[in-house]
Amino acid sequence: MSFDWWRKETHRGTPVVVKMENPNNWSMVELEAPSEDDFLNDGVSSDAKSRGRNKNAKQLTWVLLLKAHRAAGCITSIAPATFFLASAVRRRLSSGRTDKTTTLTTSTSTRFYSCIKVFLWLSILLLGFELAAYFKGWHFGAPDLHLQYLYTLTNPFAFKGFFDSIYSRWVVIRVEYLAPPLQSLANACIYLFLIQSLDRLVLCLGCFWIRFKKIKPLAKQTLPDLESGESDGFFPMVLVQIPMCNEKEVYQQSIGAVCNLKWPKSKILIQVLDDSDDPTTQSLIKEEVQKWKHEGVNIVYRHRVNREGYKAGNLKSAMNCSYVKDYEFVAIFDADFQPNPDFLTKTVPHFKDNDELGLVQARWSFVNRDENLLTRLQHVNLAFHFEVEQQVNGIFLNFFGFNGTAGVWRIKTLEDCGGWLERTTVEDMDIAVRAHLHGWKMIFLNDVECQCELPESYEAYRKQQHRWHSGPMQLFRLCLPDIIKSKISIWKKANLIFLFFLLRKLILPFYSFTLFCIILPMTMFVPEATLPAWVVCYIPATMSFLNILPSPKSFPFIVPYLLFENTMSVTKFNAMISGLFQLGSAYEWVVTKKSGRSSEGDLAVELIEKEEVKVKEKRKKHNRIYRKELMLAFLLLTASARSLLSAQGIHFYFLLFQGLSFLLVGFDLIGEQIAN
């Protein structure tokens, strides 16, 4: 009887099947929706209907209980996470390794640190001073000063205590001498912030227009399929270069991917340009080259004794080979890049019957973008860079900064603008700017992707960003006279000087660091200088929303992205100053560490291998402590405590969470752990 009841009521309502392997792993499957016949009585008693409703109610209750159990599990996981962070901080402190351990120190960086220390100690002293004033009745509203508490200034007959007298004089100094210049600097940064935000909005509108109109560069001729035996088509001589240096984790997969490119074997030559100083790595790369050569691939191995000029010197040396004159185009791939077999067939046809075209650039895709929080945040930035900046500039201006890899150059273009130069650490941007000044056009292909890796450790990412932000300032100083003297239009000159260099390379790191890391905390102790809430919260949130649009799956990370970008502004500001004034660290070149993944499927395999390594061998992790970030963390947290006294809600939350993000980065608790 019970079986008949179950059989008759299976189609009543919307049945739900709950599958549960363990309390933290369950799934809910909705069965076939009810038909019209199911709502007919068909002789079914009202008791059976009632039992069916009770059955569904019980299933729904069970699902809700499972969700509640899962939520409780998330809450209970906070305590282990807290203990993990505490133990990680303890390990960092006990190791004693800081960002100064293996890097060169300069007098300028020392002065930079000293300046931040002064701000930190001053903020701590002011916080104590303000706390004492607060408990004595000197209350301040948000954001203006309550002048009724300054009775000692206006009433000469009032009783003046020692503290009241000192604090009154401090307020006078604040109002007359400190607040005006601080407010002027804040207003200047706000104007720069608004201009940069407007530029970002215009770029987003341009990207929207491209999508709406479905604008994309089209080749004048598509190439025939090589496997079909058709020989007619545009198959010029192509040189492929793979510059590398001590990158034994990735050499094999990059050489293999390039050797599998679909192109007539008689019209392609692959150069493996090895700058490695490790004999073991050199021998491994030689063996890999010999293996592919035996399989019939036209590939050569070149090694330099020294790394003079770094990557630019390596490429320049390779272009001086006598056989290069037989080739018309050169494709460049860094050691961790893995082009698809059809890369050349999708890029080279754009050069046909387009003699003004000098560069075709493909976008990057990332095999490890979901590896950790650091790679997810990097992906947000780079997705915006390619989807919006590169695509919009390529469509409307025929100019953008070459990304250094995953691109095809016309060799005549390189020769026309002077070839590779070793004068900066951004040789890719250098060659692109000089090509633009000589009238060459560029195309960005958003639908052609080339796989690569993102830095998984903060140390590697920090060094990469330092090079990427110091190099443009070096280049700006060197090429400014050439831009002014060039024969390109006034509009293109203005775009290069004011938008490409000043606004996006200099102003952005300047106002980000100055406004949110220095001025904002200082206004907590000098309340006469104010920053409106829309500057602190609403505009940054809107800009973060626009930045994250090209990567919609990253929307849950919009707040960490905003905080992390402000945290990275310290490194970018320092790099920008180093490059602009040619300081010691401006010409530092460090090869970004790679992990050697060839596909997203390697992530699961690598996790298993890591677990096996942990079982076999326990290796200590020695991540560094970053002093600049820690100092600014304490400065921001101190300012957030001061903001509580004046009841500045948005300012308090921003300073608190920004200070915590600096703290996490300062203890290197973001990204991959570094083994000794």
Side-chain angles (χ1 to χ4, degrees):
M1 187 66 180
S2 60
F3 175 77
D4 293 338
W5 168 84
W6 182 85
R7 179 175 56 81
K8 292 179 181 179
E9 294 299 318
T10 50
H11 292 287
R12 197 160 301 281
T14 304
V16 174
V17 176
V18 179
K19 298 180 180 179
M20 181 177 68
E21 297 177 0
N22 56 64
N24 293 322
N25 186 12
W26 60 274
S27 61
M28 182 175 67
V29 180
E30 184 175 307
L31 300 182
E32 180 183 358
S35 62
E36 293 182 359
D37 295 337
D38 294 329
F39 293 98
L40 298 177
N41 290 332
D42 293 333
V44 179
S45 64
S46 60
D47 294 338
K49 296 178 183 179
S50 177
R51 286 196 299 269
R53 287 192 295 270
N54 292 337
K55 182 71 175 179
N56 289 334
K58 289 180 180 179
Q59 291 172 341
L60 180 59
T61 304
W62 179 240
V63 171
L64 293 176
L65 288 174
L66 287 175
K67 289 185 176 181
H69 183 274
R70 189 175 182 181
C74 293
I75 296 174
T76 56
S77 64
I78 296 177
T82 304
F83 285 116
F84 170 77
L85 290 176
S87 62
V89 171
R90 195 183 312 112
R91 287 197 303 270
R92 303 290 191 275
L93 295 174
S94 62
S95 65
R97 292 166 63 102
T98 67
D99 53 340
K100 291 278 191 169
T101 304
T102 57
T103 58
L104 297 176
T105 60
T106 62
S107 58
T108 303
S109 62
T110 303
R111 289 195 295 269
F112 185 72
Y113 295 146
S114 300
C115 182
I116 295 178
K117 287 180 181 178
V118 169
F119 276 119
L120 172 61
W121 287 110
L122 181 62
S123 63
I124 293 176
L125 291 175
L126 288 177
L127 178 60
F129 199 45
E130 296 291 342
L131 284 173
Y134 182 83
F135 287 112
K136 287 185 67 67
W138 295 70
H139 298 167
F140 299 95
D144 298 322
L145 181 66
H146 286 185
L147 296 178
Q148 61 266 31
Y149 292 105
L150 300 182
Y151 62 93
T152 53
L153 293 177
T154 57
N155 188 359
F157 302 103
F159 175 76
K160 298 180 181 179
F162 178 74
F163 181 85
D164 292 339
S165 178
I166 293 179
Y167 195 79
S168 299
R169 294 182 182 277
W170 160 242
V171 171
V172 172
I173 294 173
R174 223 166 55 190
V175 172
E176 294 185 358
Y177 301 103
L178 298 181
L182 185 61
Q183 187 66 62
S184 299
L185 181 60
N187 293 338
C189 289
I190 291 173
Y191 292 140
L192 295 177
F193 182 29
L194 292 176
I195 294 173
Q196 196 275 333
S197 300
L198 180 62
D199 173 65
R200 188 62 54 98
L201 179 61
V202 170
L203 288 174
C204 291
L205 292 176
C207 183
F208 172 78
W209 183 256
I210 291 172
R211 284 196 173 188
F212 179 72
K213 291 293 185 178
K214 298 181 180 179
I215 303 173
K216 60 180 295 186
L218 297 176
K220 294 186 178 180
Q221 176 183 347
T222 58
L223 298 182
D225 188 2
L226 295 176
E227 297 180 357
S228 66
E230 299 180 8
S231 58
D232 296 335
F234 181 64
F235 292 104
M237 300 289 285
V238 177
L239 180 68
V240 181
Q241 297 177 333
I242 314 176
M244 58 179 61
C245 178
N246 295 327
E247 296 179 275
K248 60 183 179 182
E249 297 88 359
V250 294
Y251 76 92
Q252 196 170 22
Q253 62 195 37
S254 62
I255 294 176
V258 171
C259 289
N260 284 314
L261 289 172
K262 293 181 180 179
W263 204 255
K265 293 184 178 180
S266 61
K267 295 188 175 184
I268 185 174
L269 173 65
I270 300 171
Q271 287 182 318
V272 178
L273 311 177
D274 185 22
D275 267 6
S276 303
D277 54 11
D278 178 22
T280 303
T281 304
Q282 293 177 26
S283 62
L284 290 173
I285 297 174
K286 286 181 182 177
E287 291 176 4
E288 186 69 15
V289 171
Q290 289 299 322
K291 183 190 78 173
W292 285 101
K293 183 176 289 187
H294 291 324
E295 294 184 10
V297 178
N298 192 11
I299 184 172
V300 296
Y301 173 83
R302 283 180 51 85
H303 178 262
R304 294 197 306 164
V305 178
N306 56 23
R307 289 188 64 204
E308 182 180 357
Y310 302 111
K311 181 181 175 181
N314 198 0
L315 295 173
K316 182 178 180 180
S317 174
M319 294 300 294
N320 289 331
C321 296
S322 59
Y323 53 77
V324 172
K325 66 178 182 296
D326 298 328
Y327 293 84
E328 188 175 356
F329 302 100
V330 56
I332 303 172
F333 300 99
D334 282 351
D336 61 317
F337 278 73
Q338 306 149 50
N340 293 326
D342 59 354
F343 182 89
L344 293 179
T345 60
K346 287 185 175 180
T347 55
V348 174
H350 288 272
F351 289 98
K352 182 175 175 57
D353 299 330
N354 194 354
D355 296 335
E356 295 181 344
L357 182 61
L359 168 67
V360 174
Q361 170 75 62
R363 71 173 296 163
W364 301 355
S365 60
F366 310 101
V367 298
N368 61 338
R369 67 182 186 182
D370 297 327
E371 173 65 11
N372 53 45
L373 179 60
L374 179 62
T375 57
R376 290 177 183 271
L377 298 179
Q378 290 179 68
H379 177 251
V380 174
N381 250 346
L382 290 172
F384 182 87
H385 171 68
F386 288 108
E387 184 84 12
V388 179
E389 292 180 339
Q390 297 291 76
Q391 185 174 207
V392 170
N393 289 326
I395 292 294
F396 295 107
L397 301 176
N398 295 122
F399 166 72
F400 47 83
F402 175 46
N403 293 116
T405 178
V408 182
W409 279 95
R410 189 189 297 271
I411 293 180
K412 182 181 177 181
T413 304
L414 299 179
E415 295 172 348
D416 183 41
C417 56
W420 299 102
L421 299 180
E422 306 99 324
R423 58 182 183 173
T424 70
T425 58
V426 284
E427 75 294 327
D428 46 6
M429 184 182 295
D430 189 357
I431 195 74
V433 170
R434 285 185 282 121
H436 183 56
L437 295 179
H438 282 76
W440 292 96
K441 294 182 179 180
M442 305 172 190
I443 285 179
F444 176 77
L445 301 179
N446 192 53
D447 56 347
V448 180
E449 298 183 357
C450 188
Q451 283 191 339
C452 63
E453 286 187 23
L454 292 166
E456 296 181 6
S457 69
Y458 178 69
E459 176 69 14
Y461 179 63
R462 189 170 179 260
K463 290 179 178 179
Q464 180 198 72
Q465 291 300 303
H466 186 279
R467 176 164 55 87
W468 285 5
H469 285 81
S470 64
M473 290 297 97
Q474 304 168 21
L475 180 60
F476 178 63
R477 295 178 65 261
L478 295 171
C479 71
L480 181 59
D482 297 332
I483 295 175
I484 297 174
K485 297 176 184 178
S486 66
K487 297 180 180 180
I488 61 176
S489 64
I490 297 296
W491 157 244
K492 291 183 177 180
K493 291 181 181 180
N495 173 68
L496 269 176
I497 296 175
F498 296 107
L499 293 181
F500 186 77
F501 279 112
L502 289 180
L503 186 60
R504 298 168 189 166
K505 303 297 188 296
L506 187 148
I507 289 177
L508 178 58
F510 170 76
Y511 85 74
S512 296
F513 172 75
T514 307
L515 187 62
F516 296 110
C517 300
I518 299 298
I519 294 178
L520 178 57
M522 292 308 298
T523 56
M524 297 299 102
F525 301 102
V526 185
E528 295 78 15
T530 61
L531 282 179
W534 56 268
V535 173
V536 178
C537 179
Y538 304 127
I539 297 294
T542 304
M543 291 301 104
S544 298
F545 177 79
L546 293 178
N547 282 9
I548 216 164
L549 281 178
S551 52
K553 292 183 179 179
S554 301
F555 267 101
F557 303 96
I558 186 169
V559 174
Y561 170 75
L562 171 61
L563 298 174
F564 183 70
E565 279 301 292
N566 288 334
T567 304
M568 283 304 300
S569 67
V570 182
T571 298
K572 296 176 181 179
F573 177 82
N574 193 20
M576 182 266 292
I577 294 296
S578 299
L580 189 62
F581 297 103
Q582 289 185 304
L583 304 179
S585 59
Y587 293 93
E588 181 183 6
W589 181 288
V590 179
V591 178
T592 305
K593 181 176 175 58
K594 316 292 191 313
S595 61
R597 298 195 180 104
S598 59
S599 65
E600 294 182 358
D602 288 346
L603 297 178
V605 176
E606 185 176 351
L607 289 175
I608 296 175
E609 292 176 351
K610 284 183 177 181
E611 292 299 326
E612 293 176 354
V613 170
K614 288 180 182 179
V615 174
K616 295 179 181 179
E617 179 185 11
K618 292 183 178 180
R619 293 185 298 175
K620 293 183 178 179
K621 305 295 184 179
H622 293 288
N623 285 31
R624 290 179 172 85
I625 295 175
Y626 298 96
R627 300 195 295 178
K628 291 196 299 268
E629 285 78 359
L630 281 183
M631 292 174 187
L632 283 168
F634 296 138
L635 172 64
L636 291 166
L637 292 175
T638 305
S640 69
R642 171 61 184 85
S643 68
L644 279 177
L645 304 181
S646 54
Q648 299 192 36
I650 292 179
H651 297 69
F652 165 72
Y653 290 115
F654 183 90
L655 289 167
L656 175 63
F657 290 114
Q658 190 65 70
L660 291 176
S661 67
F662 268 103
L663 197 65
L664 292 175
V665 172
F667 282 116
D668 202 2
L669 296 173
I670 182 173
E672 183 72 15
Q673 303 294 290
I674 300 175
N676 189 17

